[in-house]
Amino acid sequence: MDYKKIGLTVGIEIHQELATETKLFCNCPPELNKDGYEFTFSRKLRPAQSELGEIDPAALFEFLKGKTIIYQADHRTSCLVEMDEEPPSPMDKEAVDIALTFSLMTKGAPVDEVQVMRKTVVDGSNTGGFQRTSVVSLGGEIEVGGKTYHLEQVAVEEDAARKISEDGDTITYRLDRLGIPLIEVTTAPEMHTPQEAYDVARRIGSILRATGKVRRGIGTIRQDVNVSIMNGGIIEIKGAQDLGMLKTLVEFEAQRQVTLVEIQGELKTRGVEASDLKPDLVDVSEMFAKTESKILLNALKRGGKVYAVKLKGFNGLTGKELCQNRRLGTEMSDHAKFKGGVRGIFHTDELPGYKITQPEVDKLRKTMGAEAGDAVVIVADDESKCKSALIAVVDRAVQALSGVPAETRSANQDGTTRFTRPRPGAARMYPETDVRPIQISADAIAMTLKDLPDMPEVKLEKTQKKFNLNSKLATQILDSDHYDLFEELVVEEFSPTLIAVTLTEDLTSMRRDGVPVENLNAESIRGTFSLVKLGTTVKETIPDILTYLAKNPSRNPTMAIRDLGLEMMSDEDVKQLVESVVKERESLVKERGMKAMGPLMGVIMGKARGRASPQKVNKLLNASIRAIIE
Ligand SMILES: [Zn+2]
């Protein structure tokens, strides 16, 4: 795709969790609770009209109408502040300091006073209905590939609760993540290809890690991406957790928008106008009374209805692929789900299908007065849900006449996105009066500047030199989730290369083989290395032990060695093994003398399967051969 021609423009917001001692507005530890939760409580959100911004607040109300939010919590990772039962404590100064450090590393201009604002959040992920956010600096720049990219601002925010599930009218969140300090870095919309977006996000991520004060691991850094093309609305994509996916995300989104513009052109050619698209909904339940389609039949049995609407001029377009796995019909379905709470829709471009037959489709078209160029959409559910859903479908069809509608979307696993809600207006912020501002003095700036961490390339060079690593390995370990563990283990006299390879390449290849490496904690890796150091096992067995521990998280390294039969052989056993092998091959020894060492070492080490140290075998074998030839 010619990204220049389509006028692709991308801006990124990076959210990185900070490795502080406490959460941003209370003293709870900034950690997720892996052991589940102790209690739940529920809330119903009642957002005030004025807090919802300008665009389509009615839709947001509709979304929240009657929804119950359940929060799962425990006493260790959350307190009354997260529950919104107690006012927040003063803002954590450490978080502000880390943000200030990043700002100065990227040449931003710090504000005089860090003021806490409330940003309305309507999805229930914050118990108070708002997220606290504070701008720390404005502007700034980074260099990537010889080009300068500008930052708009750096802010400190509280992370939201994490969504566990969504089921009909109930959304469940876990409270542990709420209040973990985040740094939010917003770039100017200056990227024009998916590769540039990826490179800039990667660069910002590595500068953040260079502060040495950020949390690592899956979910600790998330990207929101704004994508637009010429003549289209701005699309905000939330929650890309995987940097590797960012490129695909932007590629797919560009493709989706280009196809939407093509559809817009086609609709114009067909002479379709907004006035042609009317929400004239027809109850077609009777027509499907004896259908083979279980989805329709089940809805009817529950007392629901089947409703249909005609989309003039949309034949062939509802089924048109926008990008991989997404059609215009999928977009309409997202809107129907959002506004109507239905599970999905059917459109004539995908029918006959789903056990809906050709004669049924013919009859449907006839009843709806659909001509060859028209499409018909049907939905089966409670009557009121059907109606809201189909009105949303018609609204989305009208939007298709103007190309790319501005909206907020969420990233899917495969790099595609789905509609989540209309884009809220910009005026959603209001001051938080419960928290005092923090001053940033000229002295504080001077002190931070004096002690600024190395930029990533300097740190890379130093790491390479200090540990005698090649550049690839040094880059990998600096980017990895285990850099701290690496530094810790290196102190314990292991070869830095061995540790770096284990913590990066070995773990990566294990992950590729489907090993659940996320189950490995620092303790099991540390324990495995100490057993090697103690001589309980040899370093060659480390990948086997870690694989076993990842698959059996309840076992410890000592148990793993026993379970895998990797305990070292006793000195006596090694001696017997060496002597028996030498005896078996006495003729070879007599024939080749000391030159038999090589082949015999191989045989013995093979039989010992990592349970004997090569040095020890070497010494014993040498003595044993000498005894024969001398
Ligand atoms: Zn707390």
Side-chain angles (χ1 to χ4, degrees):
M1 187 172 290
D2 187 342
Y3 293 111
K4 200 167 180 180
K5 200 172 141 203
I6 64 167
L8 179 69
T9 302
V10 182
I12 308 175
E13 261 177 41
I14 292 193
H15 301 95
Q16 163 77 63
E17 288 181 359
L18 301 177
T20 47
E21 295 283 319
T22 67
K23 287 189 178 179
L24 199 51
F25 295 105
C26 66
N27 281 322
C28 294
E31 286 164 24
L32 300 186
N33 184 10
K34 289 201 174 115
D35 306 327
Y37 58 95
E38 293 164 358
F39 60 95
T40 62
F41 61 96
S42 65
R43 294 276 161 85
K44 277 193 186 272
L45 277 186
R46 290 182 199 86
Q49 179 83 44
S50 64
E51 294 169 0
L52 287 171
E54 294 142 10
I55 299 173
D56 205 2
L60 296 174
F61 269 119
E62 215 160 325
F63 170 65
L64 293 168
K65 200 170 52 189
K67 290 230 168 165
T68 302
I69 319 279
I70 294 176
Y71 298 99
Q72 303 172 339
D74 66 276
H75 292 99
R76 194 177 70 84
T77 63
S78 49
C79 64
L80 291 170
V81 173
E82 286 90 336
M83 294 170 75
D84 195 33
E85 296 287 356
E86 195 179 278
S89 308
M91 181 158 51
D92 178 43
K93 188 126 188 327
E94 193 187 3
V96 176
D97 285 344
I98 300 168
L100 180 63
T101 301
F102 175 86
S103 300
L104 295 174
M105 286 171 86
T106 52
K107 303 184 187 128
V111 297
D112 299 337
E113 191 175 80
V114 181
Q115 288 175 345
V116 184
M117 303 293 283
R118 291 179 173 188
K119 186 158 70 178
T120 301
V121 172
V122 290
D123 59 5
S125 62
N126 289 63
T127 45
F130 55 84
Q131 179 190 29
R132 296 186 186 91
T133 179
S134 319
V135 174
V136 173
S137 73
L138 297 170
E141 60 184 50
I142 58 164
E143 298 274 326
V144 183
K147 205 172 149 187
T148 303
Y149 295 87
H150 295 90
L151 304 182
E152 282 183 348
Q153 66 169 46
V154 173
V156 167
E157 295 188 338
E158 53 182 350
D159 206 346
R162 43 180 181 131
K163 193 190 258 187
I164 301 294
S165 63
E166 183 164 0
D167 179 24
D169 290 335
T170 307
I171 311 176
T172 303
Y173 287 98
R174 186 75 56 84
L175 216 51
D176 50 7
R177 203 179 70 184
L178 181 62
I180 292 184
L182 289 177
I183 184 171
E184 183 200 55
V185 181
T186 311
T187 74
E190 291 178 340
M191 285 74 83
H192 300 289
T193 66
Q195 183 67 44
E196 261 187 308
Y198 169 82
D199 291 342
V200 167
R202 193 184 150 86
R203 175 70 178 163
I204 292 172
S206 71
I207 300 173
L208 284 166
R209 282 190 295 277
T211 65
K213 295 280 192 170
V214 301
R215 285 163 54 82
R216 296 185 182 221
I218 292 169
T220 57
I221 186 163
R222 302 190 294 275
Q223 286 96 17
D224 292 351
V225 208
N226 293 322
V227 183
S228 64
I229 61 169
M230 220 182 311
N231 308 322
I234 293 182
I235 300 294
E236 185 182 17
I237 302 169
K238 293 267 185 201
Q241 294 205 2
D242 183 356
L243 185 59
M245 192 52 95
L246 194 67
K247 232 171 82 181
T248 316
L249 202 67
V250 177
E251 275 167 20
F252 281 171
E253 182 52 26
Q255 206 182 338
R256 193 185 71 91
Q257 295 186 17
V258 167
T259 317
L260 284 174
V261 172
E262 281 170 21
I263 290 175
Q264 175 190 18
E266 176 60 26
L267 285 168
K268 202 171 169 199
T269 308
R270 294 183 187 184
V272 182
E273 285 174 21
S275 56
D276 295 325
L277 298 164
K278 288 190 230 60
D280 295 332
L281 315 182
V282 180
D283 181 348
V284 291
S285 307
E286 227 162 84
M287 190 185 304
F288 291 100
K290 286 182 180 150
T291 184
E292 296 267 290
S293 160
K294 282 228 170 67
I295 299 172
L296 301 189
L297 213 52
N298 284 343
L300 290 172
K301 273 189 195 154
R302 284 198 321 265
K305 300 270 183 196
V306 182
Y307 265 83
V309 72
K310 181 174 79 173
L311 298 180
K312 190 168 170 51
F314 275 74
N315 187 45
L317 296 180
T318 45
K320 189 168 169 68
E321 193 167 70
L322 304 176
C323 66
Q324 184 190 293
N325 298 327
R326 303 283 313 178
R327 291 160 200 283
L328 183 57
T330 327
E331 301 285 312
M332 290 173 169
S333 172
D334 282 351
H335 283 252
K337 287 175 189 167
F338 177 74
K339 287 199 184 155
V342 297
R343 301 179 89 157
I345 59 166
F346 292 116
H347 53 79
T348 40
D349 283 347
E350 58 185 348
L351 302 177
Y354 305 97
K355 295 276 168 99
I356 297 171
T357 61
Q358 186 64 54
E360 283 173 329
V361 176
D362 293 342
K363 204 168 165 198
L364 176 68
R365 282 185 159 281
K366 203 172 156 208
T367 307
M368 298 304 294
E371 290 167 36
D374 304 338
V376 177
V377 173
I378 58 172
V379 65
D381 211 310
D382 301 341
E383 186 165 11
S384 66
K385 285 186 173 184
C386 286
K387 287 181 171 170
S388 305
L390 288 185
I391 290 170
V393 166
V394 173
D395 286 347
R396 182 63 188 83
V398 171
Q399 286 182 336
L401 297 172
S402 39
V404 187
E407 60 198 21
T408 302
R409 304 179 66 85
S410 303
N412 294 326
Q413 291 283 339
D414 63 355
T416 61
T417 58
R418 61 185 185 279
F419 167 82
T420 20
R421 58 189 145 92
R423 242 185 99 132
R428 300 191 296 158
M429 298 259 225
Y430 50 106
E432 163 66 271
T433 47
D434 287 343
V435 184
R436 280 169 182 276
I438 291 182
Q439 318 292 329
I440 299 183
S441 65
D443 281 356
I445 294 174
M447 291 255 289
T448 310
L449 274 173
K450 219 174 83 190
D451 227 6
L452 224 46
D454 291 327
M455 284 298 269
E457 53 282 357
V458 178
K459 189 160 187 199
L460 175 66
E461 210 187 304
K462 285 190 180 169
T463 306
Q464 234 180 300
K465 254 194 207 139
K466 183 172 170 195
F467 301 112
N468 195 20
L469 296 173
N470 65 40
S471 134
K472 184 178 159 219
L473 208 47
T475 308
Q476 281 173 351
I477 195 68
L478 278 171
D479 278 346
S480 89
D481 300 338
H482 304 293
Y483 183 75
D484 295 343
L485 186 58
F486 166 78
E487 281 203 323
E488 177 195 322
L489 291 170
V490 164
V491 178
E492 312 214 348
E493 303 161 42
F494 287 106
S495 133
T497 301
L498 170 69
I499 299 166
V501 168
T502 306
L503 294 179
T504 60
E505 288 167 9
D506 287 355
L507 292 187
T508 306
S509 73
M510 282 161 64
R511 185 178 289 122
R512 278 195 200 120
D513 291 344
V515 177
V517 289
E518 62 279 2
N519 288 340
L520 287 174
N521 53 31
E523 206 180 321
S524 43
I525 298 174
R526 203 181 283 133
T528 305
F529 273 96
S530 15
L531 290 175
V532 173
K533 193 175 158 194
L534 284 170
T536 312
T537 185
V538 290
K539 62 178 195 295
E540 286 75 11
T541 64
I542 292 174
D544 291 340
I545 297 173
L546 293 182
T547 300
Y548 183 82
L549 289 172
K551 289 180 179 165
N552 305 279
S554 63
R555 310 295 283 167
N556 65 34
T558 310
M559 294 167 174
I561 288 176
R562 203 165 54 220
D563 296 351
L564 292 167
L566 293 172
E567 292 139 309
M568 296 300 274
M569 297 168 70
S570 66
D571 288 358
E572 191 52 40
D573 288 347
V574 177
K575 200 168 167 219
Q576 274 183 20
L577 175 66
V578 170
E579 279 171 4
S580 74
V581 169
V582 170
K583 199 158 181 231
E584 261 171 44
R585 294 173 173 66
E586 209 175 322
S587 55
L588 179 85
V589 173
K590 283 184 172 152
E591 188 188 318
R592 301 183 48 184
M594 290 316 287
K595 286 202 175 118
M597 279 289 288
L600 291 187
M601 259 316 271
V603 175
I604 296 163
M605 289 315 290
K607 289 195 183 224
R609 285 185 298 119
R611 294 175 302 132
S613 105
Q615 293 84 348
K616 200 176 278 173
V617 172
N618 190 299
K619 210 169 139 195
L620 288 166
L621 182 61
N622 194 308
S624 187
I625 294 177
R626 261 177 218 290
I628 292 176
I629 57 178
E630 277 166 12

